Amino acid sequence: MHLILVAVVVLLCSGLFALLWGGKPSRANFLGVGGALLGCLIGIVPAAMILWTGQTEAIHWAWPVPYGSFFLYLDALSAFFLLPILGLSAVAALYGSRYLFSYRDRKNLGAAWFFFNLLVASMALVVLARNGVLFLLCWEAMSLASFFLVTFENEREGVRQAGWTYLVATHLGTAFLFILFILLSRGTGSMDFDGLTRASLPGTTAASLAFALAVIGFGTKAGFVPFHVWLPEAHPAAPSHVSAVMSGVMIKTGIYGLLRTLTFLGPPEPWWGWLLIGLGLVSGVMGVLFALAQHDLKRLLAYHSVENIGIIGLGLGLGVLGMALDQPVMAVLGLGGGLLHVLNHAMFKGLLFLGAGAVLHASHTREIDRLGGLIKRMPWTAAMFLAGSVAICGLPPLNGFVSEFLIYVAAFKGLWSSSTTLAAVAAIGGLGVIGGLAVACFTKAFGVVFQGEPRSAQAAQAREVDWGLRIPMILLASACLAIAFLAPQMIQLLRPVLEVMTGPSGEGLQNAISVVMYPLRSVVLLSALFLLVLALLAWGRRRLLAGRPVVEGVTWDCGYARPGARMQYSASSFAQPLTRMFNVILRIRRQGQEPHGFFPQRASLRTHGDDVFRDGFYAPIFQGIEWFMLRAHNLQQGRVQIYLLYVAVTVLVLLLWNLR
Amino acid sequence: MNPTSFSLPLAAVVLAPLVPAVINRTKAWFAGRQGQPLLQGYYDLAKLMGKGAVYSRTTSWVFRAGPLVSLACVLTALAVLPLGGARPPLSFAGDPVLLLYLLGVARFFTISAAMDTGSAFEGMGASREAQFSALTEFTMLVSLAALVKLGHLPLPAGVEAGSPYSLQGIYASLTATMWMRYGTVLLLAATALMVAVLCENSRIPVDDPTTHLELTMIHEVMVLDHSGPDLAMIFYGAAMKLWILCALLAGLLIPMRSGNAWLDAGAVIGGIFLLAVAIGVIESCLARLRLLRVPQFLTGAGVLAIVALLLAFWV
């Protein structure tokens, strides 16, 4: 436990030192990255040990703040979230050391590393904190640190806008958390988590209210639809290693908060599970649909985070429903699948954002339709991005499949009991649709960015990034492969975590885990068989082609021998059949000039896939608030006499009130 | 583990190229032609395996990996594919998901290989394949879920039950009694699966494998640039995929569960060839749908699958 504190102190101090040496970029860079790596590696040790041994550790110090105490507690649930938080942050810091260095002339790297290390430390403390005040403090530090990281390139208008949206959204979410913690601590008068139990809430209504508050408050951070609007704005605006951390682990603190709240609330109500399944289904399908319509590589990835949070929501929803209806197998497998997807998503989404960062670094554009042919110029980045794409589509033999497989088995289990059949159908059908559309989206992203011919000079001039950026991607891709092949061990590792959620019901838990042990071993076996068959086929073809003519020519284009780069299918044209099919939801706007006459001179077409929730739901509300505030502005005349009149009237009203 | 379970993949490996040949012969018979010899598929494979290869300069290693991955996927999927009541080499809870997702991997790499050529035609085919397969994957998952939802009846002697959420478990329970009791559900699921078979194997009315215009193709246009052994692997992989999906449908349509695995498997293999004849008849009698109509056709199949699942819920 004290090692964790050491890690946090190392992170904070190194950040501070980096800030102090901000004038010397290389020293600030060294201090920031070195501290982040050291801190994360120190912190991973106790987290892994807790998961391994299943024990818990605590620190409880007095803190002279009303209702506050410095109460940290490391149990399996916290440890499970700490692993990806510290692991991905370390890899991202490694990547950032090369990535940020190209900004050394324009930006204060010391400040960037200060906020990065502060973000990592606060994320770690969020999952450790066991006191409401401390939790909210760390939560706020996490939000603010990430806000300053998002606005790193604040000279650009779009980045400032994105940062502003993020700041408003995250504080609205936090407001709900304030109410939640006040509600939870009402009974005992203490904000320490071990005192927050269902006992302090009279009746199921209050517990349900607390759950709803948690879903809104934590769901805003996690990015459930319709609370996701900040996510596709903020994540693309940040530097890529920060996007990786935000998308990979920061939004997962929302999932952590939701799970932690569930442990306070005792046995869940069935409708909580239904709500999570509904939110998960909507987030998953909407997320991937909006992703399909994007032209910006990082924005596309950000929408896929919404999709993956949806998949996590489906798993957790099945789990909560299973707990509520006393179906331990569905509960354990649903929760297990959701939790494992938290880890998996951190790995492959981190990998994809780092890949997108490498593309941006090499070509200076995120516009998918201006890229192309990068696989020839950046073979390493392309291969790693491909691995990430296969993983995020949930395809074997990588890790995304394992967690989705667990959720599928949970849903199959749920099919058999009539009270959960509809939930199971939603999960199976939802995962099917999400999976199919994700394949469409990532074949589009990979195909248009990396394959074919370059569509612009920027893409043609791109060069492979150096090892400093490549190694982090290789590490994450290896993690994706390793998790897939260690799937049975992973579920054993999850055991103590699941115990925290479902309570120490040893028999049911072990029983549920043993239900999937054989299937997971078989999946691993078949994945290995697949790779073996692949290798044999490759070897066979090599033998066959040895000594035979293998010629290179032009691509067959109906006999047209001079295909140009602009004749290729673009990202928009690839996605067009699907986006048109779902235009009811997407509402894509088309602008442009259609070609006229026999010899058309100029034609253009632009499509915009804006977020319907942002434009259709939040924009009117905020415009209404703005309208009201402008009216209220009339009160402010800037004359002392009028203000004195206000004071006099107020005093008069109060006096009259008192007289009554 | 018994010899029958290992002979199922072996039968697929040997017999798969016959299925497209049967479809061709049926179509030839309808058109009044004599048609290709039944072994033409094998001759074509042998010829292509003996050739060199031509690759486009635009392409990368993904293009060369595409056919390998696709074939490796369908070959691996054979490990969990039951033929009616006959047990596959490996069977475990959730294996229907693995089978469908392996087909998903094959699709991912087929599409990626098509995008690798930089050709507008292949991009077009890839885009359509991505759209249509997203719809059929949903249909197949939901139909199989409907079959999982059924299956409570006691099994005939000698039929191995398998895990209730495995393909083996699903197909072992699909007896004649099941057809009498839940005929509507099974018929709806079978119809939905039939549409999936037609779409996934690029058959009329979704796609026309014999068309000559690149603009109207879906699957064929994606493999235009492949040649030699690569093309052989693609043809063989396509035949294998046809075999797998036909086996899923034939196992449902032929409720023979005698308890003798050889007999059951033989009946389903017969069913696969009967399905090939049926596909030939459909191809001879129908025209290809307009491309804009195809999503409606596929969505309709998805709706049938959902109705099947809901009915399975109520009965």
Side-chain angles (χ1 to χ4, degrees):
Chain A
M1 187 69 203
H2 292 92
L3 271 182
I4 281 280
L5 271 189
V6 172
V8 169
V9 170
V10 166
L11 282 167
L12 291 176
C13 288
S14 61
L16 212 57
F17 284 129
L19 187 65
L20 290 177
W21 268 285
K24 295 184 175 159
S26 50
R27 188 168 300 172
N29 212 24
F30 176 76
L31 280 169
V33 177
L37 282 179
L38 189 66
C40 291
L41 293 182
I42 293 175
I44 283 178
V45 176
M49 268 166 56
I50 293 289
L51 273 186
W52 197 255
T53 59
Q55 290 164 344
T56 56
E57 290 179 32
I59 291 180
H60 201 155
W61 292 335
W63 195 26
V65 170
Y67 301 106
S69 67
F70 194 81
F71 186 13
L72 299 182
Y73 192 87
L74 182 57
D75 65 356
L77 183 62
S78 304
F80 182 76
F81 277 85
L82 266 182
L83 275 190
I85 287 175
L86 296 176
L88 182 62
S89 299
V91 174
L94 197 64
Y95 181 94
S97 73
R98 293 294 307 158
Y99 189 79
L100 275 189
F101 207 58
S102 54
Y103 291 92
R104 64 186 175 279
D105 302 329
R106 291 180 282 142
K107 291 284 173 188
N108 182 350
L109 295 193
W113 284 113
F114 171 70
F115 288 120
F116 184 84
N117 290 6
L118 179 62
L119 173 65
V120 179
S122 53
M123 283 191 298
L125 285 177
V126 158
V127 296
L128 288 171
R130 287 295 188 281
N131 175 278
V133 178
L134 183 66
F135 181 90
L136 286 174
L137 193 79
C138 300
W139 187 261
E140 193 58 26
M142 179 177 85
S143 301
L144 287 180
S146 50
F147 164 75
F148 284 109
L149 288 167
V150 165
T151 52
F152 179 66
E153 291 183 81
N154 50 16
E155 69 276 6
R156 292 184 10 219
E157 168 72 21
V159 170
R160 289 200 300 272
Q161 282 283 341
W164 185 239
T165 311
Y166 174 47
L167 199 64
V168 172
T170 188
H171 281 103
L172 279 180
T174 311
F176 284 92
L177 296 185
F178 267 102
I179 307 176
L180 170 71
F181 281 112
I182 290 170
L183 187 72
L184 283 175
S185 64
R186 217 176 38 170
T188 51
S190 155
M191 282 239 186
D192 282 358
F193 282 5
D194 48 9
L196 306 181
T197 50
R198 190 168 185 162
S200 63
L201 298 168
T204 56
T205 327
S208 292
L209 179 66
F211 180 74
L213 286 170
V215 164
I216 299 175
F218 290 120
T220 307
K221 185 59 82 183
F224 279 118
V225 170
F227 316 119
H228 69 286
V229 281
W230 63 273
L231 207 152
E233 306 293 325
H235 289 200
S240 295
H241 66 293
V242 178
S243 317
V245 169
M246 285 177 70
S247 227
V249 288
M250 194 193 76
I251 59 172
K252 308 297 169 39
T253 57
I255 298 292
Y256 166 79
L258 201 55
L259 290 174
R260 184 59 74 188
T261 311
L262 277 173
T263 61
F264 306 148
L265 298 182
E269 301 287 314
W271 75 263
W272 303 356
W274 289 105
L275 179 69
L276 282 180
I277 290 171
L279 279 177
L281 188 63
V282 172
S283 306
V285 176
M286 292 282 200
V288 70
L289 279 180
F290 282 122
L292 261 173
Q294 300 309 315
H295 310 294
D296 177 327
L297 186 56
K298 285 178 75 176
R299 222 176 139 83
L300 179 146
L301 293 179
Y303 269 115
H304 268 284
S305 295
V306 177
E307 176 227 304
N308 278 281
I309 285 291
I311 294 177
I312 294 170
L314 281 175
L316 299 185
L318 286 178
V320 171
L321 193 62
M323 277 158 72
L325 299 176
D326 200 23
Q327 294 190 17
V329 176
M330 189 172 101
V332 166
L333 296 185
L335 285 173
L339 280 168
L340 192 56
H341 206 72
V342 166
L343 179 65
N344 288 341
H345 180 244
M347 296 301 123
F348 54 65
K349 184 50 68 65
L351 169 60
L352 287 168
F353 263 118
L354 297 189
V359 170
L360 179 61
H361 191 77
S363 68
H364 305 289
T365 181
R366 305 195 309 230
E367 202 53 39
I368 297 177
D369 281 335
R370 295 182 61 76
L371 294 162
L374 291 185
I375 194 168
K376 293 270 177 57
R377 289 154 189 83
M378 310 169 69
W380 282 90
T381 307
M384 295 305 125
F385 196 92
L386 181 63
S389 307
V390 172
I392 200 173
C393 291
L395 295 175
L398 293 179
N399 60 349
F401 178 73
V402 178
S403 38
E404 289 195 24
F405 181 78
L406 286 178
I407 301 177
Y408 269 118
V409 178
F412 277 137
K413 190 83 194 169
L415 271 180
W416 279 39
S417 159
S418 58
S419 53
T420 52
T421 301
L422 275 181
V425 173
I428 294 173
L431 283 176
V433 170
I434 293 168
L437 292 175
V439 167
C441 194
F442 273 93
T443 47
K444 164 189 124 169
F446 183 74
V448 178
V449 171
F450 289 98
Q451 298 179 310
E453 296 287 347
R455 290 174 177 78
S456 67
Q458 291 155 302
Q461 286 160 1
R463 288 286 165 270
E464 180 62 285
V465 291
D466 58 26
W467 283 103
L469 298 189
R470 266 184 256 171
I471 288 172
M473 292 193 269
I474 295 171
L475 285 175
L476 289 176
S478 324
C480 289
L481 192 68
I483 293 175
F485 278 90
L486 294 175
Q489 285 76 21
M490 293 309 293
I491 193 86
Q492 285 293 359
L493 206 64
L494 274 173
R495 216 193 117 139
V497 187
L498 292 166
E499 242 165 43
V500 175
M501 293 305 303
T502 58
S505 54
E507 188 110 338
L509 187 64
Q510 191 50 43
N511 188 22
I513 287 180
S514 63
V515 167
V516 285
M517 276 320 261
Y518 177 65
L520 283 180
R521 284 205 196 100
S522 309
V523 166
V524 171
L525 179 69
L526 283 181
S527 300
L529 180 71
F530 165 73
L531 293 181
L532 181 72
V533 172
L534 189 60
L536 279 179
L537 287 175
W539 175 77
R541 183 177 67 181
R542 209 188 168 88
R543 284 288 302 273
L544 269 181
L545 286 179
R548 293 206 194 133
V550 176
V551 200
E552 295 217 317
V554 290
T555 295
W556 169 254
D557 249 359
C558 284
Y560 184 68
R562 294 214 157 273
R566 289 191 49 175
M567 290 164 59
Q568 297 174 94
Y569 238 44
S570 66
S572 330
S573 41
F574 186 88
Q576 190 262 352
L578 277 168
T579 50
R580 193 189 47 207
M581 206 172 136
F582 292 101
N583 209 22
V584 186
I585 300 166
L586 292 172
R587 298 181 190 276
I588 289 176
R589 288 185 291 123
R590 293 161 66 95
Q591 288 175 340
Q593 194 181 352
E594 291 192 2
H596 282 295
F598 294 111
F599 300 100
Q601 291 291 313
R602 68 171 57 230
S604 63
L605 174 69
R606 292 179 70 84
T607 55
H608 303 271
D610 295 326
D611 198 302
V612 286
F613 290 96
R614 185 187 158 86
D615 297 346
F617 182 66
Y618 290 100
I621 290 178
F622 279 90
Q623 275 160 11
I625 292 174
E626 193 185 5
W627 180 87
F628 178 77
M629 289 303 180
L630 282 176
R631 296 284 98 67
H633 218 166
N634 288 336
L635 292 173
Q636 234 177 354
Q637 295 292 341
R639 283 198 189 162
V640 181
Q641 292 92 327
I642 291 189
Y643 292 135
L644 282 176
L645 181 66
Y646 290 158
V647 173
V649 169
T650 313
V651 170
L652 197 63
V653 169
L654 288 177
L655 282 174
L656 287 176
W657 179 271
N658 212 22
L659 274 180
R660 192 168 57 94
Chain B
M1 291 289 167
N2 51 27
T4 40
S5 61
F6 280 96
S7 54
L8 300 188
L10 204 65
V13 168
V14 175
L15 294 176
L18 261 182
V19 185
V22 170
I23 298 179
N24 272 335
R25 278 299 276 261
T26 316
K27 287 168 76 175
W29 185 83
F30 262 81
R33 294 181 281 115
Q34 190 186 353
Q36 306 168 340
L38 276 175
L39 297 180
Q40 186 63 41
Y42 301 94
Y43 301 151
D44 286 346
L45 289 179
K47 182 184 72 181
L48 287 169
M49 288 303 252
K51 292 196 171 211
V54 184
Y55 295 108
S56 158
R57 268 186 283 277
T58 309
T59 59
S60 64
W61 60 269
V62 176
F63 180 80
R64 300 184 190 208
L68 298 174
V69 175
S70 305
L71 185 55
C73 284
V74 284
L75 287 175
T76 312
L78 288 177
V80 293
L81 182 76
L83 291 182
R87 188 187 152 79
L90 202 58
S91 166
F92 52 91
D95 63 6
V97 178
L98 183 73
L99 181 118
L100 292 182
Y101 273 55
L102 276 172
L103 296 185
V105 179
R107 182 185 314 132
F108 187 104
F109 276 85
T110 311
I111 294 174
S112 285
M115 292 299 284
D116 211 8
T117 61
S119 153
F121 291 115
E122 301 198 24
M124 204 178 289
S127 160
R128 290 168 185 166
E129 171 98 353
Q131 181 195 12
F132 298 159
S133 56
L135 297 173
T136 45
E137 190 172 70
F138 170 81
T139 308
M140 287 194 286
L141 264 172
V142 176
S143 325
L144 287 176
L147 299 184
V148 169
K149 177 72 186 146
L150 295 176
H152 281 296
L153 298 181
L155 297 179
V159 177
E160 284 185 66
S163 159
Y165 325 114
S166 66
L167 285 167
Q168 155 75 7
I170 295 173
Y171 280 92
S173 64
L174 286 173
T175 52
T177 341
M178 284 283 275
W179 266 97
M180 278 186 275
R181 194 173 294 184
Y182 305 121
T184 331
V185 177
L186 296 181
L187 200 63
L188 282 170
T191 317
L193 275 180
M194 183 70 199
V195 174
V197 168
L198 293 176
C199 175
E200 281 287 299
N201 295 296
S202 42
R203 293 282 153 189
I204 290 175
V206 175
D207 186 8
D208 187 354
T210 57
T211 180
H212 291 286
L213 189 60
E214 286 89 339
L215 265 177
T216 62
M217 296 177 182
I218 299 171
H219 184 75
E220 291 303 304
V221 74
M222 288 202 296
V223 301
L224 273 181
D225 263 277
H226 290 281
S227 56
D230 287 321
L231 194 58
M233 280 193 256
I234 285 173
F235 283 162
Y236 189 56
M240 194 70 77
K241 188 174 173 187
L242 183 60
W243 174 277
I244 291 175
L245 292 176
C246 283
L248 289 182
L249 184 53
L252 167 60
L253 288 176
I254 297 184
M256 186 163 136
R257 305 288 179 265
S258 63
N260 181 340
W262 295 103
L263 222 58
D264 290 356
V268 173
I269 290 176
I272 291 173
F273 286 108
L274 282 179
L275 266 179
V277 173
I279 292 172
V281 173
I282 291 175
E283 295 220 317
S284 307
C285 303
L286 278 181
R288 200 173 56 77
L289 285 171
R290 276 168 54 208
L291 270 175
L292 295 179
R293 293 263 172 239
V294 173
Q296 298 174 6
F297 178 62
L298 299 178
T299 319
V303 171
L304 286 186
I306 292 175
V307 173
L309 186 49
L310 291 181
L311 272 182
F313 179 35
W314 295 118
V315 292

